[in-house]
Amino acid sequence: MIGRLTGILLEKNPPQLLVDVQGVGYEVDVPMSTFYNLPGVGEKVSLFTHLTIREDAHLLFGFGNAEERAVFRQLIKISGIGARTALSILSGLSIADLAQAVTLQEAGRLVKIPGIGKKTAERLLLELKGKLGADIGAGGAHPIHDSQADILNALLALGYSDKEATLALKTIPAGSTVSDGIKQALKALSKG
């Protein structure tokens, strides 16, 4: 019903915004990924939205781009995943990271998000397989091969963040063995 809002940003109280659209103030809940990219209070903002109507409330969720909204809609279709949990997932992982976790079936990334347990993470990965993966959120990323997935998992196990591990992975020449790749990634991370 309400697919997009463009107006003046009146308030920013994470995760909620107040957007004035020609005299009507809309309360919109947004994931932190959208929140961090918002303009300042008093400036013009445009959000893609999703309206949820429940018996006790009408809730409006906003997103910085259509892709983020599409992923949100995929998430809330999954049994046991409500809008708040979907917002937490989008706040905790970028779309590219979520797509990579689905492609590699890595529940470990999802259980780090508050409110996501092991069973929920496994159900998410199963439900999203084929719907969200290499095609969505890749953003020009190189396809990950089996050895690269092993290197990435090793770096994550060593305590590096998803972002650090992914950046280090890009420095490794294609076709490297797992042990050589880990050594090269660790060298790259120690220089950074």
Side-chain angles (χ1 to χ4, degrees), residues 57-68:
H58 290 215
L59 304 169
L60 195 57
F61 299 95
F63 307 94
N65 57 55
E67 184 181 34
E68 205 169 51

Side-chain angles (χ1 to χ4, degrees), residues 107-185:
R109 288 186 183 189
L110 295 173
V111 296
K112 293 177 185 174
I113 299 168
I116 304 290
K118 188 174 183 193
K119 285 184 179 179
T120 304
E122 289 170 354
R123 189 171 65 245
L124 272 166
L125 292 175
L126 182 66
E127 294 273 347
L128 292 174
K129 192 172 187 176
K131 296 176 187 168
L132 179 78
D135 56 330
I136 294 182
H142 303 293
I144 294 186
H145 304 289
D146 289 338
S147 63
Q148 288 181 310
D150 290 340
I151 296 165
L152 182 68
N153 287 331
L155 295 173
L156 292 172
L158 289 170
Y160 290 101
S161 71
D162 288 334
K163 190 175 183 178
E164 291 170 324
T166 305
L167 287 173
L169 200 60
K170 291 178 182 176
T171 66
I172 301 167
S176 297
T177 64
V178 175
S179 60
D180 287 342
I182 292 171
K183 288 175 190 171
Q184 291 171 4

Side-chain angles (χ1 to χ4, degrees), residues 73-124:
R73 287 176 172 170
Q74 281 291 334
L75 290 169
I76 61 174
K77 287 180 186 175
I78 298 169
S79 174
I81 303 296
R84 299 279 177 225
T85 305
L87 280 186
S88 291
I89 292 167
L90 289 173
S91 293
L93 287 174
S94 70
I95 294 173
D97 288 341
L98 179 59
Q100 190 176 50
V102 170
T103 302
L104 300 174
Q105 292 292 292
E106 292 179 331
R109 288 186 183 189
L110 295 173
V111 296
K112 293 177 185 174
I113 299 168
I116 304 290
K118 188 174 183 193
K119 285 184 179 179
T120 304
E122 289 170 354
R123 189 171 65 245
L124 272 166

